[in-house]
Structure formats: C-alpha cells, structure tokens
Amino acid sequence: MNHAPRETAKPVFKKQCLRPTLLKVRPAGRQRPHGPTLAARELSVSVAPSAAERHPASLARLPHWFPPPRAPHFRNHPTQYRNSGAAGTSKEKPTMSAESEEQKLERVRQQVRSFPDFPSPGINFRDITPLLKDPSAFCTAMDLMEAHVRKCFPRVDVIAGLDSRGFLFGPVLAQRLGIGFVLIRKKGKLPGPTESVSYSLEYGKAELEIQTDAVDAGQKVLIIDDLLATGGTLWAACQLMKKKGAEILECLVLIELTSLRGTEKLKSVPIYSLLQYD
C-alpha cells in the first residue's frame, strides 16, 4: 500500500517591523572625529518619531568606539620643559651663584692653554679650543663681552667678525644684542661685488675684503676677533670700515698679546681685551 509522503509543515516566521533606532556607522576609510563639533555632524541620529517618543534615552547613547577628546602632545617641544610640572611648580633653569668679574675672567683663563714653540720656535701659542669645548666657560666669556658692550655703547648697528676665529664669537654676541653680523674674509672667499684692503705681513702681503652691501655709511660697527697680536689684521679691518664710511666703535678681542704691541698700530681705535698675556 503506497502512502503519499507526508508534507512537513514549514515554520512561518513573522517579520518584525523594527523602526531604525541605531546610530549611523561611519564608512570605512573615513577619519575618526576628534571633537564634539565633528561628532555631532557625522554621528547624526536617525530615529522615527514614534521610537523617539517611546525610547528617549536612546538619543543620548554614543557608540562605544567614539574616542574622548585628547590634549595635544608636545613631545620634543620646548614648551614641554617650560611648562612641565604641576601648576605653580614648573621647573626652571637653575641659576648659578653670583660671581665677581675677576672670578669669571679666571674661569675663562683656565680654559686657555699654551703650546710653546708652535707653530715656530719662540712662539707661545694660546689655544682656545678648551674654551670652545666647555659650554659654561664659553658662556661666561660671552657674558663678559655682552656686559662690556651694553655698558659702553648704547647703540651698536652691526658686528663685523674677522676671518676666521672672529666668526666663533661674533654671531653669538650679535644674536644676544639683537643686531646683524657681517663677514670680513680673506681675498677670494666672498661672492659678488666686494671692497678689499691689503696689509703687510712678516712674509709678504695679504688682503681682506667685505661685500659692498654688508655695511652702510654712518653705521656704528664693532669689530671682533679672538686675538690681537701685531695688529695688522685688525688694522686692515678698520681700513675697510672707514672705506665704507662706517663709524668704528671698538675692536673687541678675547686675548691680547701685550708684548707684540698691537695697540700701537691701532692708536686711533679703542681696543678692549678680556685676557692679556705677555
């Protein structure tokens, strides 16, 4: 007896009509918002009026992935050190104890060493490389130069440095005073139109030059170098400044070798030196 296969009743699922009550999800690739204004604009709520009436608390829900606003980071930024610490307890640069001018000069003098018979027999070479290596001593030397210039000259327009060790001190002093720095170089080292002056040396002649637009007529100029020996190089630098019509306030040097009488060659120009040696 054949029986027809019994038909199994299929379950009937009732479609539930749920009104949209979820927040819109940001599309892939879009940048995550970083502020309440962007969040309000991007995360707009789509809720049917009836659902809003039935579930008012759903409007206040925020997605779990929404990040709280973060303060900007200042890693490797100067303000990290100026503003670090709690309010009223910011870290400050430690100040050194007050020193007299003689103590500062002695600290600078201790960083100048001597090499007898260099570069030729009979010459006692004064080496300033330890001073340049010691930031505290170098800063002290610059403090002394700056204090002297501010005390003696109410106005300085530009500082001119001699090739080449004048370039070590001149730009630092000019930056502290808030003025410009110009180069006085050996012949053939500067591009463009230049003015030059020749001067005599023990073994011949040499020339110094400056760019024509470096100094204007009437400007007050301070000339700086590391050493005053016979005075030939500083004399040539002064002649360059006079040729340009500038007013020379002073020649400022770190070291003066008094036994070589370089000041006699520069009788009409004031000379100031921090350290003096025979």
Side-chain angles (χ1 to χ4, degrees):
M1 182 174 182
N2 295 330
H3 297 280
R6 179 178 296 181
E7 293 183 359
T8 305
K10 296 182 180 180
V12 178
F13 296 95
K14 184 179 179 180
K15 296 184 179 179
Q16 296 180 359
C17 297
L18 300 178
R19 297 182 182 275
T21 58
L22 298 178
L23 299 176
K24 289 184 178 180
V25 180
R26 60 186 177 89
R30 177 176 291 186
Q31 295 294 328
R32 180 171 294 184
H34 290 282
T37 303
L38 291 177
R41 182 169 64 247
E42 183 176 352
L43 301 176
S44 59
V45 180
S46 176
V47 181
S50 58
E53 294 174 358
R54 293 195 304 268
H55 306 287
S58 62
L59 296 175
R61 287 204 302 262
L62 287 176
H64 68 278
W65 50 262
F66 184 76
R70 297 184 303 173
H73 293 276
F74 293 99
R75 192 181 304 277
N76 298 329
H77 192 276
T79 56
Q80 179 185 9
Y81 307 102
R82 292 200 302 266
N83 301 329
S84 59
T89 60
S90 59
K91 298 180 181 179
E92 297 180 358
K93 181 180 179 181
T95 56
M96 299 181 63
S97 59
E99 291 181 308
S100 65
E101 184 175 348
E102 291 75 13
Q103 291 174 324
K104 293 180 179 180
L105 286 173
E106 183 60 28
R107 183 139 58 93
V108 175
R109 189 185 301 272
Q110 290 175 357
Q111 300 302 320
V112 179
R113 57 187 179 184
S114 301
F115 287 94
D117 300 325
F118 181 85
S120 58
I123 296 179
N124 192 11
F125 186 83
R126 305 293 177 175
D127 182 23
I128 64 171
T129 53
L131 177 66
L132 301 176
K133 186 179 178 180
D134 187 339
S136 177
F138 180 79
C139 183
T140 300
M142 299 309 306
D143 290 342
L144 292 169
M145 290 184 178
E146 179 186 1
H148 164 74
V149 174
R150 291 188 181 277
K151 178 181 177 181
C152 298
F153 307 106
R155 174 190 166 189
V156 182
D157 295 322
V158 68
I159 293 180
L162 269 68
D163 194 347
S164 62
R165 286 187 289 272
F167 302 163
L168 301 174
F169 302 95
V172 180
L173 182 59
Q175 189 273 336
R176 289 187 174 201
L177 299 175
I179 58 178
F181 175 79
V182 298
L183 308 175
I184 300 178
R185 301 216 62 185
K186 298 174 183 177
K187 184 70 174 179
K189 299 293 185 179
L190 290 173
T194 59
E195 296 278 354
S196 62
V197 169
S198 61
Y199 62 102
S200 300
L201 297 173
E202 296 178 359
Y203 52 85
K205 288 187 177 182
E207 285 187 78
L208 289 180
E209 64 180 4
I210 190 173
Q211 291 175 322
T212 54
D213 60 350
V215 179
D216 297 329
Q219 283 190 314
K220 299 180 181 294
V221 180
L222 183 72
I223 302 176
I224 189 169
D225 200 4
D226 70 319
L227 179 72
L228 171 61
T230 60
T233 308
L234 278 174
W235 177 86
C238 293
Q239 297 305 310
L240 270 177
M241 295 297 106
K242 293 178 180 179
K243 194 174 181 179
K244 295 294 297 178
E247 178 185 350
I248 304 172
L249 298 176
E250 186 181 68
C251 289
L252 175 61
V253 296
L254 176 69
I255 297 174
E256 178 185 355
L257 303 180
T258 56
S259 60
L260 299 179
R261 300 179 180 180
T263 55
E264 296 181 2
K265 195 174 184 65
L266 301 166
K267 293 180 179 179
S268 60
V269 180
I271 304 292
Y272 181 79
S273 58
L274 290 184
L275 305 177
Q276 298 79 33
Y277 296 92
D278 294 332

